[in-house]
Amino acid sequence: MEAFGNAQTVRNKNSSRFGKFMQVHFNKTGEIVGGHISTYLLEKSRIVHQSGTERNYHIFYRLIAGASEEMKKQISLKSIGDYKCLAQGKSSSEMCDAEQFPTISEAMECIGIPSSDILEIYKIVSGLMAFSNVEFVDSGDSRGGSKVSPESMDWIETAASCLSLEADDLRQSLTSRLMQTKNLKKGTTYMVPLKKKEANHNRNGLCISLYTRLFNHIVEQINKSLPLTEKSNSYIGVLDIAGFEYFELNSFEQFCINYCNEKLQQFFNSRVIREEQELYKAENLGVTEIQFSDNQDCIELIERGLILLDEEAKLPQSDEKHFTRLLHDQNRRHFRLQVPRKSKLSSYRSMLDEEGFIVRHYAGAVCYNTEGWLDRNSDTLHSSLEQLMLTSDSGLVALLYSDIDDVKVSKKMVHDSVGGKFKKQLNILLEKLQSTATSFIRCLKPNQHMSPTEFEGGKVLNQLTSLGMVTALELMQAGFPSRVAFQDLYDMYSSKLPAKLKSLHPRVFCSALFRAIGMSPNDYRFGVTKIFFRPGKFAEVDLLLNSSTEHLKTMIYKVEKWVLCQRWRRMQFAILAYNKWNKIAIWRIKAIVNIQKNARMWSARKHYQPRIKGVRAIRDSMTKIVVMIDIAQNIKYERELVLQEIEEMRGFLVSEMKQLKAGQVHTDLITQKLEEIEDQVKRLLEKVRETQTQTSYVRFRRIWRRRERGTRSWRD
C-alpha cells in the first residue's frame, strides 16, 4: 500500500496520499481473529500531474529502478526521463527505489496474489506511464475532432500491449465517445469525435480510473488475506489520514483533505474537551470551564461548496468560474470565506475572484484555485472506454471493470461525485469513531526543510495552537485526565491486602489507600462514581502498589493505622456531634413550646378580643348607669319614670353581657351591638340630664317666687 499510495511531497519524502482506517479484530479471549483496511480519498490528480518539487507514486520509480532487464522487456518499460508523468516532478536518490522494489513483490506474494497477477499489475503500471506520453492533435477534418499525434503512435501501441487491448480500438475510444440518438428506436448509437482538450481529459480520466481501480484491488486482496476466522468481539482501529494541507497551489484534493481534518478536529474538540468538561460537571469536580472555538460554521461552508460543485456538474455548460462566483454570491457575508485579493500573500492577490476563494480553517487561511475542479470531482470516464476495458485479454484488467454491467450511453460522461463519495465515507468513519474509545496521536513537523536536529519553535507552537492542543493542555493542567471507578481500583489491588481490609467499602478503601501512600489531596479528587488523578499520578500509584514485598507490608500497616485512626476520629466526632445535637434538640423543644404558647395566645386573643371589648364596653355602660341612678335619686320631676327606664337599661345590659360571655353573639355582630348599646346609653343619659335640668329649673323658680313674696311682705 505504501508503494502504490505514498509519494514524495514538499514537506514529506514518504507522504501517504490516501487515508486508511486499519482494524485488528479480537475474539472473547483476546486472540486476533482477523483484520480489515478501509481507504479514503486517494489523491488521483497526482497520477497525471505533480509540482516540480514532488514525485508521483513510489511504484512508478521503484518499478523502473528495480525491475530486471527481462521484466522491462516483458512490460515494455523505459527510463524515468522518458515518461512525462514522472519527468514533471523531481526524482530523489535518497529514496532507495531499487532496494525497495523486491519487497513489493514479496509483499504481494505474501497476501496471496499469484505471480502472474503481479506481472499483470506491473504491466498496468507500465501502461499508465505510456499513456502519459500520448498526445493529441486536431484531425483537420470538418467534424472538428482530434487524433493521436504521429509521435505518440508508439506509445499508444505500448499502452495497448500492456493492457492487452487492440491499439485501433484504444485510439478510437480515446478520440471519440459513444452517443445515442433521440426520438429513434432504442439502441441506435453513433460515435462523436472529441476535440483535443476533450481527448486529453479522456486520457487522464482513463489513467486515473485504471490506477484507482488497481489500488482498490490491491487493498481488497490485502483484506482477503486478513479474513475473520470467527466472530469478532472487539477491535482496535488505527486511523491514519492526511493532516491539514496548504501549498502554494491548493486544489480540490486539498479542499477535501482539509474538510476531513475539520470534521476530525470537531470530533477531537467534542471527545477531548466538551465531553471531558461535561464529565467534570457530572462528577461535581468543580474544574474551571475552558473555552474553545467551534468550527461547525466552516464545515457547513465546505459542505455547501461540495453541493454547489455537484449541481454545477449537472448543468449543460458547467464551468468552474460560474461555480466560484456562485459560491461567493451565496456566502458573501460568511466569516470563513474571503476573495483571493484580500489574501495576505501577494501571490494570491493577483488571482481573480472567479478563479478561487479563501477559507479560514481552524489551522489557518487557505487559498484554493478552482481550476479543473469539475474534472477532479467526478470519476469521469466515457462508457466506450469502460466497455473497452472489459474486452481486454488481460484477466486482471477485465476484473478491475467487472462491476460495469450494461452499456451506459449518454451525451456526457458518467458522473460520479468524488466529494459526495468522500462525504459519505467520512460520515461512516465518524460513526465508527463515535462508538469507540478514542485516543489521539498528533504529529508535528519540527521544521519545513525535512532536516534532522532542526527545531523551529514558532512553527511548532503554531501547529499546536491550530490543532487545539493548547486548549487541551490547559484542560489537562486544570483538570484530571486520568480516572478510574472506585470498584475497578478496589478489584485491582484488593487481592494484595489482608481480609480485614478487603471488607472496606470501595470508596473508603480508595481513601485509605491514597492516605497510606502519602498522596497529596491536590493530586487526586473524588467524584460521584470515580476517582480522578492529575497527569502522571495514577502511574505513580501503580508503581508504589507493585513495588517490593517489604514496601507492600509497610503500606498495609499504614492503611490499617489510617483506618483505625479514622474510625477513632469518627467515634469522637459522633460523640461530640451527639452532645451538640442534643443541646440543639433541647433548645429547639423549648423554642417550639414557646412558639406554640405564643401562637395559642395570639389565636385566643384573636378569637376572644371582640367579646372582651364588648364586656368592657358594657361594664363602662354599667358605670354610667350607676351615675345616672345617683342623679335620678336627686330629681323630683318624673323620678319614678326615669328610674324605671334606668332599671330597664340595666337589665338590658346585664342580659347582653351574659350573651357575650356565653358566646351566643357572633363575633361580627358584637361591634354592631356595642354601637346600639352606646347609642341607647347616650340617649338615656341625655334624658336624665334634661330631667335633672328641668327639676333644677322648677326648684329655682319656686325659690325665686318665695323670695319675691318675702320681699313684698317686708315692704308692706
Side-chain angles (χ1 to χ4, degrees), residues 6 65 206 272 293 296 357 434 439 459 492 522 680:
N6 288 25
L206 178 59
V272 175
S293 59
Q296 179 62 31
F357 57 89
Q434 290 285 357
S439 300
K459 293 189 176 181
M492 194 180 301
N522 295 326
Q680 292 179 12

Side-chain angles (χ1 to χ4, degrees), residues 235-252:
Y235 71 87
I236 295 176
V238 178
L239 176 63
D240 178 17
I241 205 159
F244 185 80
E245 289 191 350
Y246 62 96
F247 302 108
E248 184 176 352
L249 178 63
N250 301 287
S251 190
F252 180 73

Side-chain angles (χ1 to χ4, degrees), residues 557-568:
Y557 170 75
K558 289 181 179 180
V559 170
E560 292 176 343
K561 181 179 178 181
W562 183 88
V563 172
L564 184 62
C565 293
Q566 190 71 9
R567 287 174 177 172
W568 175 252

Side-chain angles (χ1 to χ4, degrees), residues 282-285 482-495 497 501-502 504-514 524-533 538 541 545:
E283 294 286 339
N284 297 325
L285 297 187
S482 302
R483 74 289 312 266
V484 62
F486 294 119
Q487 187 64 43
D488 293 342
L489 190 65
Y490 175 82
D491 295 339
M492 194 180 301
Y493 300 113
S494 60
S495 60
L497 301 179
L501 294 181
K502 290 182 180 180
L504 295 175
H505 187 273
R507 189 184 183 97
V508 178
F509 169 78
C510 294
S511 181
L513 188 64
F514 298 138
Y524 67 93
R525 189 168 297 178
F526 279 19
V528 178
T529 60
K530 300 176 182 178
I531 182 168
F532 294 77
F533 299 91
F538 184 69
V541 174
L545 294 176

Side-chain angles (χ1 to χ4, degrees), residues 676-702:
E676 293 176 357
I677 292 171
E678 187 176 359
D679 291 340
Q680 292 179 12
V681 171
K682 282 183 179 180
R683 285 195 303 270
L684 182 60
L685 183 60
E686 289 176 358
K687 185 175 181 181
V688 170
R689 285 177 178 173
E690 287 178 0
T691 305
Q692 183 183 13
T693 303
Q694 187 177 5
T695 301
S696 299
Y697 176 73
V698 171
R699 185 178 179 185
F700 176 75
R701 285 190 65 183
R702 189 177 297 160

Side-chain angles (χ1 to χ4, degrees), residues 220-236:
E220 184 180 351
Q221 294 301 312
I222 295 174
N223 288 330
K224 286 182 179 179
S225 67
L226 304 170
L228 287 174
T229 56
E230 57 182 279
K231 185 178 180 180
S232 173
N233 185 60
S234 60
Y235 71 87
I236 295 176

